[in-house]
Amino acid sequence: MARQGRRGLPILLLLLADNGTVVARRKASDAAHDVVPRDGTLCRLTLRDILCKTAPQVHRLRFALPTVASGEPACCGGAGGGIVHVMIRAPAVFNQSERIAPYSATLDGDGSFSIVVKIYPGEPPAYAAVSAHLGSLPVGEYAHVPSIRAQDWRRDAARVGMLCFGVGLVECLHPAEALLAAGAQVRIINAARRRSDLILLPRLRALLSSHPASLSVLHRLSRPEGGRGAEAGGGDGAGEAGGGRGAGAASGWGRERTADGRVDAAAVASEFGTGAWSGGSTPPPPTHFYVVGTAAQEQAFLGMLFAAHLADPRSLRGHPPFLLQLGPFGDHSGWRPLSPPELAEEEAGAAENDEL
Ligand SMILES: Cc1cc2nc3c(=O)[nH]c(=O)nc-3n(C[C@H](O)[C@H](O)[C@H](O)COP(=O)(O)OP(=O)(O)OC[C@H]3O[C@@H](n4cnc5c(N)ncnc54)[C@H](O)[C@@H]3O)c2cc1C
């Protein structure tokens, strides 16, 4: 049994590397992302909002799209509404041209898009420092956004457990909003270090008040203020935003709860286990899971699902069917230029092809 369990994880690693966030970073330099900015890839920063003031800060940045930008690339069987990422390139310094990183983006529908960026310390040449570049870009200046993509995801999920680490919450909110509007139940574990690190609370609270019977939010704080460390924190029900009683196992619909301690299998079982969902049919609809964080965090979540008996690694023969991400079964756009290549570039590309 243990052997099979151990074999399951490397398979999943490969699957995630194929379809998850990991690959975006690795392929950043492989894909055809313009190195030289052009009118169609330059986006003017119109707004900076500091969401978290303690280091590392978190900034929400709004950019005007170039008028020639193509918008969300075709995805999702023509339905659109994919999970959108933009690739951002910081200017080359010290001959270091690979200063490029992907960010989750919200297309605002008015010719602009927003990203939420955690600003890491470090500067070139030791670091790519794309986030540091975005952290110091003056409002009115331009960022180089060579490409954009839209990822397909499972729209028919009825019960969805989301684990969102830090700024990963941004990427959770778009599917959460769409699923709730479609009548699904959504339970979010929002993992942060401290209460002061919590971001996007107005948007979360608006969603809670419009879906009181089908959304629950648990903030899980790994380093809560007041001197309690993650290990000492432990357990659910450490508190409830708004002053109510602590979070019990399950339920919590329409309420914002807070608990101390790192996310672990027990928390996952309590929030996403069978007893956490309301109503039900016979048999109950399957639960799907969505995790947004670093590769290590995503990997750890899979281990928690197995430990909590919410998924069985032995039955996996391909992309995990319990993930909201559709993996190889989805209609993803792939990375596309932010705007159509300009004529001269098209001609250069055609000439290059003729030579081959
Ligand atoms: C698909 C995808 C979507 C993403 N969306 C977002 C998003 O919406 N918002 C966002 O802020 N980021 C997002 N990221 C992460 C982003 O792409 C960069 O990796 C991040 O901004 C750091 O890049 P950098 O060049 O500033 O860091 P680097 O210059 O490479 O590193 C600077 C310093 O920060 C540290 N550091 C870098 N990354 C991390 C990390 N994850 N955890 C801890 N320390 C770190 C480094 O060790 C180093 O000390 C996403 C990543 C992927 C793959």
Side-chain angles (χ1 to χ4, degrees):
M1 176 102 63
R3 242 178 105 193
Q4 280 168 321
R6 274 201 294 272
R7 265 209 320 257
L9 280 174
I11 293 170
L12 281 168
L13 243 179
L14 287 175
L15 291 166
L16 280 183
D18 230 1
N19 306 294
T21 52
V22 192
V23 84
R25 183 64 139 154
R26 203 188 61 229
K27 281 196 174 164
S29 55
D30 308 346
H33 307 294
D34 298 78
V35 177
V36 181
R38 56 187 172 89
D39 286 350
T41 61
L42 284 171
C43 300
R44 193 167 60 86
L45 178 64
T46 57
L47 183 97
R48 175 184 304 279
D49 190 7
I50 301 180
L51 302 182
C52 173
K53 291 189 170 61
T54 50
Q57 291 191 344
V58 176
H59 295 192
R60 183 157 61 90
L61 305 177
R62 195 159 206 240
F63 291 94
L65 282 162
T67 48
V68 289
S70 311
E72 182 183 341
C75 76
C76 318
I83 290 160
V84 174
H85 296 132
V86 290
M87 196 64 86
I88 299 189
R89 210 183 251 289
V93 283
F94 304 111
N95 287 331
Q96 184 180 0
S97 62
E98 284 311 294
R99 302 184 63 205
I100 184 162
Y103 293 91
S104 312
T106 306
L107 295 173
D108 296 325
D110 59 354
S112 66
F113 72 90
S114 304
I115 57 173
V116 174
V117 183
K118 187 169 183 174
I119 313 295
Y120 289 106
E123 48 188 58
Y127 296 104
V130 181
S131 62
H133 165 69
L134 289 168
S136 61
L137 188 72
V139 171
E141 289 296 317
Y142 290 81
H144 179 27
V145 186
S147 40
I148 184 169
R149 75 174 179 186
Q151 301 276 87
D152 200 1
W153 56 280
R154 189 179 290 280
R155 314 296 167 96
D156 58 354
R159 294 175 168 182
V160 180
M162 296 186 170
L163 176 54
C164 320
F165 288 95
V167 289
L169 180 64
V170 178
E171 192 156 316
C172 288
L173 282 175
H174 164 61
E177 284 164 352
L179 286 161
L180 288 164
Q185 292 177 40
V186 177
R187 300 184 66 85
I188 295 176
I189 301 178
N190 181 28
R193 285 175 309 166
R194 301 169 294 243
R195 187 181 287 273
S196 55
D197 290 335
L198 295 175
I199 55 167
L200 303 175
L201 293 178
R203 194 164 156 199
L204 261 182
R205 287 170 184 163
L207 210 53
L208 276 167
S209 64
S210 54
H211 299 280
S214 51
L215 173 63
S216 90
V217 174
L218 175 69
H219 303 300
R220 188 88 185 188
L221 306 178
S222 63
R223 290 185 220 164
E225 281 101 341
R228 295 176 73 195
E231 284 69 30
D236 290 324
E240 182 175 356
R245 291 186 55 227
S251 78
W253 296 115
R255 291 187 297 139
E256 189 183 347
R257 295 162 296 139
T258 306
D260 294 352
R262 284 185 194 281
V263 180
D264 55 15
V268 165
S270 167
E271 287 301 303
F272 301 157
T274 331
W277 306 94
S278 61
S281 51
T282 314
T287 307
H288 290 91
F289 302 100
Y290 191 58
V291 54
V292 186
T294 62
Q297 289 165 335
E298 293 178 1
Q299 192 70 27
F301 178 58
L302 293 174
M304 291 175 210
L305 288 178
F306 300 147
H309 305 290
L310 297 179
D312 183 355
R314 293 167 307 169
S315 62
L316 290 179
R317 294 288 180 274
H319 179 75
F322 52 81
L323 290 182
L324 200 70
Q325 287 97 331
L326 275 167
F329 308 116
D331 177 25
H332 313 296
S333 72
W335 287 108
R336 296 276 174 264
L338 187 70
S339 64
E342 284 154 20
L343 201 55
E345 290 168 356
E346 270 180 340
E347 281 165 359
E352 214 169 84
N353 285 340
D354 288 346
E355 282 168 22
L356 294 174

